[in-house]
Structure formats: C-alpha cells, structure tokens
Amino acid sequence: IAGITQAPTSQILAAGRRMTLRCTQDMRHNAMYWYRQDLGLGLRLIHYSNTAGTTGKGEVPDGYSVSRANTDDFPLTLASAVPSQTSVYFCASSWGANQPQHFGDGTRLSIL
Amino acid sequence: DQQVKQNSPSLSVQEGRISILNCDYTNSMFDYFLWYKKYPAEGPTFLISISSIKDKNEDGRFTVFLNKSAKHLSLHIVPSQPGDSAVYFCAASTSGTYKYIFGTGTRLKVLA
C-alpha cells in the first residue's frame, strides 16, 4: 500500500543522546514535512523540504536537523535530546505547496 | 501567538444530526485551508480543502465554508455517523509556501 512509513513507532531515550527518526514515502511526492504534536498545541511544523536537496525551517526548528538526499527519504535528527522534545512526531508528504498532505502514523518519543 | 484557533476542544452530536466544527485565523495572508481527521494512534487524514477564491466546497457529507471578512471557516458534516468520531484539525497556508499552521483540534463524538 502506497504511503509513508515512519520508524521507530516509539522510543524511550535518555537525555543527551542522539536520535534519528526515519521517514520514507513511496508516492514520489516532491515535498516532505516533519511535525510534532503536543497536547493543547496541535501540530507544529519543525522542518520541511520542497524538493530533494533543499530544506527549510518551520515554526519550531531549534534542536532538530533534517536532510533530503533523495525524493523518498526525509530523516529527522535530534543531535542531543532534551526532555522538552518528548512528543509525537509525524512525517508527511505532498505533491507541492498548497496541496493536501499525506501523513505517517507517527513516532512516539519520550526523553527521560 | 496562535494564528489558527479552534476554540471548541470537544463537541458531541447525535447520530444523523449535523456536526459543525469551527476554525478562526488571524493572518489575512492565508489563502488555502484544509481540514484533517485524526483517529487515535494514526496520522491525520486529509478531508477537504478550500482556497480563498471560493466560499464553499462540498465533498459528499462534508462541506467547508469560508468567510474571509470574518477570518472564519467551518466544517459541516451531514449526517453525522459514529465513524466520524475523531479529532478534527483545521490548517492554513499562504499560496506558494510549504508552511502549514494547524489549529489545536476539536474532538468530535457522534453518539449512536
């Protein structure tokens, strides 16, 4: 089934550790996104990429980095995790700007 | 500063009746709006969108209304079904950008 695959589905991590959340899409969408969802705050955009090789900052980029080496993959890295990064992370993709986004099922990350 | 607001955290509606979910925005540059539905432990799923050149868009049981002067949009679900019970997010963006701002969500419960 075409869509977005996120891994891992959940993770508990010690503060200060490095972590990469993986995201792969098979729809050949040009744009990809990372969001975090926190109670009472909805979904907030962390980083996005409008095409392979380019990335941009969203609302809450600090503490996170991304890369887009090819069309299908868009990993999100926490270089040194902090407890405030405990959240559910969603990866999404779309054909382009102002197009509906398709979401993965999320990664639940707990930083202790 | 919340640019997209969903002021009702929850809503209960009887099966067969109309559900009306509301969303307000403050940024007059927003010109593309979307609604997503989210079930627990899944990613959001796109429902319906509207651009600012329209004031209404319909898709089956779902209709979105846009009032640009009031900076307000609403999602109508008629008739409501128990399977519609979920959290609904509205989102807004500006033409040509990849930055979507989401509201905090409204939890809809359709009672059988």
Side-chain angles (χ1 to χ4, degrees):
Chain A
I1 298 175
I4 294 202
T5 303
Q6 290 186 236
T9 53
S10 66
Q11 181 77 43
I12 299 173
L13 190 68
R17 298 297 294 268
R18 180 184 179 89
M19 176 74 192
T20 295
L21 308 186
R22 300 185 299 279
C23 176
T24 299
Q25 55 115 350
D26 61 5
M27 296 172 283
R28 307 303 291 173
H29 283 170
N30 293 314
M32 296 188 76
Y33 313 81
W34 274 105
Y35 291 89
R36 59 178 289 174
Q37 184 189 11
D38 302 291
L39 199 63
L41 294 175
L43 286 92
R44 293 180 292 168
L45 182 65
I46 304 171
H47 285 288
Y48 68 94
S49 167
N50 57 335
T51 190
T54 66
T55 62
K57 293 182 180 180
E59 289 179 85
V60 289
D62 294 342
Y64 305 96
S65 63
V66 291
S67 60
R68 186 91 183 276
N70 57 60
T71 298
D72 300 339
D73 300 299
F74 191 44
L76 176 74
T77 297
L78 290 68
S80 179
V82 295
S84 62
Q85 292 177 310
T86 293
S87 188
V88 181
Y89 291 85
F90 288 100
C91 180
S93 70
S94 70
W95 285 114
N98 306 125
Q99 295 288 320
Q101 296 171 316
H102 296 255
F103 284 82
D105 285 336
T107 294
R108 184 173 296 273
L109 187 62
S110 296
I111 315 294
L112 304 178
Chain B
D1 178 31
Q2 195 79 20
Q3 295 187 70
V4 177
K5 299 178 186 178
Q6 294 178 256
N7 291 318
S8 299
S10 63
L11 175 69
S12 290
V13 170
Q14 211 59 40
E15 181 180 6
R17 298 291 188 107
I18 184 171
S19 295
I20 300 176
L21 296 101
N22 294 303
C23 181
D24 297 293
Y25 60 97
T26 57
N27 189 341
S28 58
M29 297 299 291
F30 289 148
D31 56 9
Y32 181 66
F33 306 89
L34 312 94
W35 284 95
Y36 289 86
K37 177 169 75 173
K38 185 184 181 303
Y39 293 120
E42 294 182 10
T45 303
F46 169 71
L47 264 180
I48 193 168
S49 64
I50 189 167
S51 74
S52 59
I53 62 173
K54 292 184 166 184
D55 53 21
K56 177 183 172 182
N57 189 24
E58 201 168 346
D59 184 1
R61 296 186 298 113
F62 302 92
T63 303
V64 56
F65 295 92
L66 176 62
N67 182 333
K68 291 185 286 293
S69 61
K71 296 192 182 70
H72 176 82
L73 64 154
S74 59
L75 175 68
H76 292 211
I77 306 173
V78 183
S80 301
Q81 300 172 352
D84 296 329
S85 297
V87 177
Y88 290 78
F89 291 97
C90 64
S93 72
T94 304
S95 288
T97 73
Y98 293 83
K99 295 187 179 183
Y100 296 77
I101 305 295
F102 280 74
T104 53
T106 296
R107 183 178 301 278
L108 173 66
K109 193 169 188 178
V110 180
L111 307 167

